[in-house]
Amino acid sequence: MGALVRLLQLLVLLLTLPLHLMALLGCWRPLCKIYFPYFMALLTAQCNRKMERKKRELFGQIKGLMGASGKVALLELGCGTGANFQFYPAGCRVTCLDPNPHFERFLTKSMAENRQVQYEKFVVAAGEDMKGLEDGCMDVVVSTLVLCSVQSPRRVLQEVQRVLRPGGVFLFWEHVAEPRGSWAFLWQQVLEPTWKHIGDGCCLTRETWKDLESAQFSQLQMEHQPPPFKWLPIGPHIMGKAVK
């Protein structure tokens, strides 16, 4: 099976050779940083229509964390275009974090369309090193379709625990690998080297549920879901919450 994967990877590489040459020469990544927000704006709009009920279920839990103040400090990792803002209840003070500064114009538009939330700031940083945020400063951290593209999911989860207050909640919705040994997993392996360039570092074969299970949250609730788009190589999803 391994030999078949390598052979098919080579065929895909040959078919997408210009892309890989641009990446090798350092030309592709700057271009990707510019085009990727537009790609995500189109994809997340479709995704929200398909996943509206599930997202409302996930983010509806935020209301229970507000207490007497009616406010909640929320950090969204890899905030992208702000596709989740419409699902946040009134009283959320939202800090956005993303390593791609080209998302900021999309965030400004999303905030203008969702006046129920208070926009705090946009932090240009990777999730593995959120040194601009103090320990225990957040009530909620949100991550949707982010842990697939970070350098180290485990390091990101460590940072999530650091910035969460005791009892704070991490809400997640992430795509993960198909079952090992399946044909779907084989094709994810074949396409992953090329897909990483197209998807700004997105990995198709991560078993992110294992990172969550080993992150030592006090509570972890997680459900597996089928992929929302059959025409993409992105596999099943996991959704849930973890409590510090």
Side-chain angles (χ1 to χ4, degrees), residues 24-233:
L24 185 63
L25 295 171
C27 304
W28 175 252
R29 189 162 181 80
L31 182 62
C32 181
K33 291 294 183 185
I34 295 172
Y35 98 80
F36 192 65
Y38 293 92
F39 172 73
M40 288 303 296
L42 291 172
L43 187 62
T44 53
Q46 296 180 51
C47 191
N48 276 350
R49 286 194 291 271
K50 280 183 169 287
M51 299 301 299
E52 180 176 1
R53 183 180 64 83
K54 281 294 186 181
K55 280 198 170 186
R56 292 199 183 281
E57 176 186 321
L58 179 66
F59 298 127
Q61 301 174 76
I62 295 173
K63 286 185 178 180
L65 301 169
M66 290 183 171
S69 68
K71 301 287 184 182
V72 63
L74 185 151
L75 169 67
E76 180 160 353
L77 303 179
C79 52
T81 61
N84 294 324
F85 294 167
Q86 63 181 289
F87 303 108
Y88 294 158
C92 288
R93 294 168 39 236
V94 181
T95 297
C96 299
L97 184 140
D98 201 290
N100 188 346
H102 295 287
F103 275 116
E104 188 166 17
R105 59 177 295 187
F106 292 89
L107 288 174
T108 302
K109 180 176 181 294
S110 293
M111 279 296 177
E113 295 170 349
N114 295 279
R115 297 292 187 180
Q116 84 279 9
V117 299
Q118 180 181 337
Y119 185 30
E120 294 291 297
K121 59 182 177 179
F122 176 53
V123 179
V124 180
E128 292 91 342
D129 187 7
M130 297 188 278
K131 58 186 176 185
L133 300 174
E134 298 178 359
D135 295 1
C137 63
M138 294 293 164
D139 301 304
V140 181
V141 177
V142 170
S143 170
T144 59
L145 306 181
V146 173
L147 296 179
C148 59
S149 58
V150 300
Q151 292 293 319
S152 171
R154 291 188 179 186
R155 178 59 184 154
V156 171
L157 293 174
Q158 288 173 358
E159 280 288 270
V160 167
Q161 291 179 312
R162 181 184 67 78
V163 301
L164 277 174
R165 64 165 172 79
V169 172
F170 175 52
L171 300 175
F172 58 88
W173 183 60
E174 300 286 345
H175 72 81
V176 295
E178 295 280 2
R180 286 179 177 267
S182 67
W183 282 105
F185 181 70
L186 180 144
W187 281 109
Q188 285 186 322
Q189 290 177 288
V190 169
L191 295 173
E192 186 166 77
T194 299
W195 184 258
K196 281 183 178 181
H197 295 312
I198 297 171
D200 197 18
C202 176
C203 298
L204 298 171
T205 60
R206 283 196 173 159
E207 298 172 325
T208 306
W209 68 89
K210 294 181 179 180
D211 295 311
L212 285 160
E213 289 169 350
S214 63
Q216 297 184 334
F217 285 99
S218 64
Q219 300 176 41
L220 177 62
Q221 299 175 12
M222 179 166 47
E223 67 175 72
H224 290 253
Q225 304 167 349
F229 299 109
K230 300 295 185 182
W231 50 273
L232 287 174

